[in-house]
Amino acid sequence: MSFPALPQPAPGAVLLLCTCYEEGRALWGGLLDRIGGRREDDVLVLGDGGVRLHPVEGLGWDQLHGGNVPALVPDGGPGAPVVVLADISVVYGGAGPLLVDLAAIPGRGVRAPSARLGGILAALLGGTLTFDDLVRGMDHYGVYQGDGGRPAFPTPTAPPNRPFPPLPSSTAALLVRTSFDDEDGWRALLGELGGADEDGWVGTGLDPDEIDPEHYPLEALVVDDRAFEGLGPGPVPALVPPEEHTTLVVLADARTFAEPGRPLTVVDLYDTPGQSTVLPCREVGSMACNLEISNMDFHEFVAVDDAKPWWEG
């Protein structure tokens, strides 16, 4: 799927882009009323901070994911270091708008409470708040300063030290090796996941009668390439091609080979792009399955600080 380039916003304004449509009609889910503001020609002016939002809509952006936004920015625009999305989570889930980073680690996202959008954007544009601050302040729902509890494994904010190539285009999950110091540990991980076949997949061709429904196997395309060494969660959403958009990307990082249970870092690509969670490898297959059939949401797999994770019984 290809998307049109983003338009130039009105001078000094931040784009507010609708990415949810039904029968060709833009759906805003009441967001424009919740954020308030006053109309001045094509923009909404929010609160005392005077942040200017430029709402835009177009069927070509239907189902656009936050991670794919940076690639649509034309040369010379949009000027602001952030784009705001009114996506399906806003329309049908009542979530706050998604702020997408265009500057520090393009493609990662954080949700903002709708009523506070103006103040958060004013601080971000004025330099008193950084996107890293937003990420560090997320609750387990991916909301900045939300009341959902702090994640037990906060999403790292370290910027990449080099560019990474695009990830393979696939509708299936991707298992990406990012640490190359423990070859035996990597082979052991693949073995625990059922072994990789000749096409580089794990979790395929298994006997259904031997599958433990409590620990469903991860079916994923393995990416074993040093070009992704050191890849962290933040840059991942922008590396996923839009043509065939995978449900999730799983990182086998240094933690995987150093801690019991071979924990894997899983990256959200939909609700809050770039948000991460850490799960024992035996649980990631069930996570992928539940996300693919929309039976559970990403935040339900994010362990909360000072609370026992559900997978520990």
Side-chain angles (χ1 to χ4, degrees), residues 1 3 5 12 51 56-57 74 78 87 101 112 117 162 201-202 207 241 256 271 281 285:
M1 180 184 297
F3 297 99
V51 170
V56 292
E57 55 188 58
D87 60 3
D101 188 2
L117 179 62
R162 58 185 175 82
W201 290 79
V202 293
D207 185 343
T256 304
D271 292 334
C281 69

Side-chain angles (χ1 to χ4, degrees), residues 4-284:
L6 298 179
Q8 284 281 1
V14 174
L15 280 180
L16 171 60
L17 182 66
C18 179
T19 66
C20 185
Y21 296 79
E22 186 176 276
E23 297 181 351
R25 180 172 60 93
L27 303 180
W28 291 93
L31 177 65
L32 299 180
D33 292 329
R34 294 198 300 274
I35 62 177
R38 67 183 187 275
R39 280 278 184 178
E40 289 186 2
D41 298 324
D42 293 332
V43 302
L44 279 174
V45 182
L46 305 184
D48 296 335
V51 170
R52 295 162 56 84
L53 280 180
H54 186 173
V56 292
E57 55 188 58
L59 192 56
W61 295 302
D62 189 21
Q63 300 183 49
L64 172 66
H65 301 295
N68 297 134
V69 167
L72 306 181
V73 177
D75 293 340
V82 64
V83 165
V84 182
L85 299 191
D87 60 3
I88 192 170
S89 295
V90 171
V91 175
Y92 292 112
L98 179 68
L99 278 60
V100 180
D101 188 2
L102 295 182
I105 304 181
R108 63 177 174 169
V110 174
R111 293 202 178 268
S114 299
R116 296 184 56 204
L117 179 62
I120 291 171
L121 286 176
L124 192 63
L125 298 176
T128 59
L129 193 67
T130 68
F131 214 95
D132 283 357
D133 295 328
L134 298 183
V135 174
R136 286 191 287 265
M138 288 192 304
D139 68 1
H140 85 281
Y141 292 108
V143 179
Y144 174 61
Q145 294 184 340
D147 57 6
R150 297 283 297 169
F153 302 98
T155 297
T157 57
N161 55 16
R162 58 185 175 82
F164 295 97
L167 287 163
S169 181
S170 173
T171 56
L174 298 175
L175 172 62
V176 184
R177 183 182 183 184
T178 70
S179 176
F180 290 81
D181 295 332
D182 188 346
E183 197 64 34
D184 291 339
W186 171 245
R187 287 196 293 268
L189 172 67
L190 295 180
E192 288 189 34
L193 297 174
D197 64 18
E198 60 183 12
D199 296 318
W201 290 79
V202 293
T204 60
L206 301 178
D207 185 343
D209 294 331
E210 297 181 359
I211 291 177
D212 179 359
E214 296 296 321
H215 302 296
Y216 204 82
L218 174 66
E219 183 175 338
L221 177 62
V222 176
V223 181
D224 184 6
D225 186 336
R226 281 191 176 270
F228 296 101
E229 186 171 13
L231 174 64
V236 166
L239 303 180
V240 176
E243 294 80 14
E244 291 185 311
H245 205 279
T246 179
T247 304
L248 78 170
V249 172
V250 183
L251 305 181
D253 52 22
R255 186 198 301 268
T256 304
F257 308 113
E259 298 182 10
R262 303 196 190 281
L264 296 167
T265 298
V266 187
V267 185
D268 188 7
L269 302 173
Y270 290 83
D271 292 334
T272 311
Q275 183 183 14
S276 63
T277 187
V278 178
L279 279 77
C281 69
R282 70 179 186 279
E283 302 293 347
V284 177

